[in-house]
Amino acid sequence: MIIQYKIIDPTKNITALVETPVDAVCQPDIAVKIMEQEKTVEQVGFVQNDSLRMAGGEFCGNASMSAAVLMCEKSGLGAGESRTVQLNVSGSDEPVPVDVSKNADGTYIGTVNMPAPISVETVSLRYNDDCFNLPLVKFKGVSHIISEGQLSRAQAEKAVCELCKMLGFDGLGIMLLDREKETLNPLVYVPKPETLFWESSCASGTSAVGAYISHSENRSVELTLKEPGGCLTVRADGSKIKLTGTVTILETKTIDI
């Protein structure tokens, strides 16, 4: 079976979107094969009409922006034009609106309404002989722990898989945040398929940071964070979260499964 997919760059969080119809039960295995072939791809989603399903069934903001851009590209959105796309996305109970505008150079700006967090709380986590009190932002899909200097990269890598399984989440991110430098280094683990990446950018993790600051300081927040692949902007006011980033369609590829 020949599987066709697009390689898309949302703020360097390189995403493969499969356009060939694939049964959900087969998607994790196909995602693994695509990621073995495409060493730069950090995640795989499956698009059909106005629907996006991630390989692990989670919600992904960058992939949602990518899917909306792909739909606008197919329908012929012109430079300087804008459109709002309503997407049905895994990990969200409601259709997700994505605002898309096309730049003169062929790149796109996407703004996605992110799902509201289930909760924002502080959790005590014990790993090996260490105990950490850290913010935890729970989403229906991937939840995120936020570390402002408490965890090193090495500690995060060692802890994230075990913590995800211990907490019973569909996926877990550890966001290394430096508010003074306005930087974010996102680590994300998804058990199915078994993926662990220091991501170039993370939409849900950036949203988690905005939600956490808005909740803890009881105010609206607009924050642009420099991530390894570029900048993402989050606007958070209570449970309302919007995320903005850049998207580029790179190429069309196929794989024989």
Side-chain angles (χ1 to χ4, degrees), residues 40-257:
T40 62
V41 166
E42 297 180 353
Q43 59 198 356
V44 179
F46 296 78
V47 292
Q48 192 67 30
N49 299 322
D50 61 352
S51 296
L52 166 68
R53 186 183 188 280
M54 300 306 293
E58 76 276 16
F59 180 86
C60 178
N62 275 332
S64 297
M65 281 192 275
S66 298
V69 163
L70 184 57
M71 292 173 190
C72 290
E73 176 83 1
K74 288 182 175 180
S75 63
L77 187 69
E81 294 180 343
S82 300
R83 186 172 302 159
T84 299
V85 175
Q86 297 287 339
L87 276 176
N88 295 306
V89 185
S90 58
S92 175
D93 295 327
E94 302 288 338
V96 175
V98 185
D99 298 326
V100 176
S101 59
K102 188 172 185 178
N103 299 321
D105 62 1
T107 62
Y108 293 82
I109 301 295
T111 297
V112 58
N113 287 21
M114 300 292 289
I118 296 169
S119 65
V120 180
E121 56 195 79
T122 299
V123 292
S124 295
L125 299 173
R126 182 172 294 278
Y127 183 73
N128 292 336
D129 295 327
D130 298 315
C131 186
F132 303 96
N133 293 315
L134 297 170
L136 171 65
V137 182
K138 291 184 182 178
F139 291 103
K140 184 179 177 184
V142 179
S143 296
H144 294 283
I145 290 170
I146 298 167
S147 170
E148 296 190 72
Q150 297 96 331
L151 297 176
S152 66
R153 287 176 67 96
Q155 286 173 317
E157 285 181 5
K158 290 178 180 177
V160 66
C161 301
E162 184 175 322
L163 290 174
C164 183
K165 293 168 184 174
M166 180 183 74
L167 294 167
F169 293 155
D170 294 333
L172 180 65
I174 296 181
M175 302 293 107
L176 303 188
L177 172 66
D178 187 325
R179 271 198 249 188
E180 184 176 337
K181 295 180 180 178
E182 298 182 331
T183 61
L184 185 70
N185 285 285
L187 176 68
V188 178
Y189 170 69
V190 179
K192 295 181 182 180
E194 186 84 11
T195 58
L196 175 64
F197 282 108
W198 283 103
E199 294 193 346
S200 298
S201 68
C202 181
S204 62
T206 306
S207 298
V209 170
Y212 160 63
I213 295 174
S214 178
H215 179 269
S216 62
E217 299 184 2
N218 193 29
R219 64 180 179 91
S220 60
V221 170
E222 180 170 344
L223 182 65
T224 297
L225 292 173
K226 297 184 284 289
E227 304 183 27
C231 293
L232 286 175
T233 298
V234 60
R235 299 171 186 85
D237 187 358
S239 62
K240 297 179 181 178
I241 306 171
K242 289 192 174 187
L243 190 95
T244 299
T246 59
V247 181
T248 305
I249 299 175
L250 299 179
E251 56 183 328
T252 301
K253 303 285 287 293
T254 61
I255 188 171
D256 191 355
I257 301 297

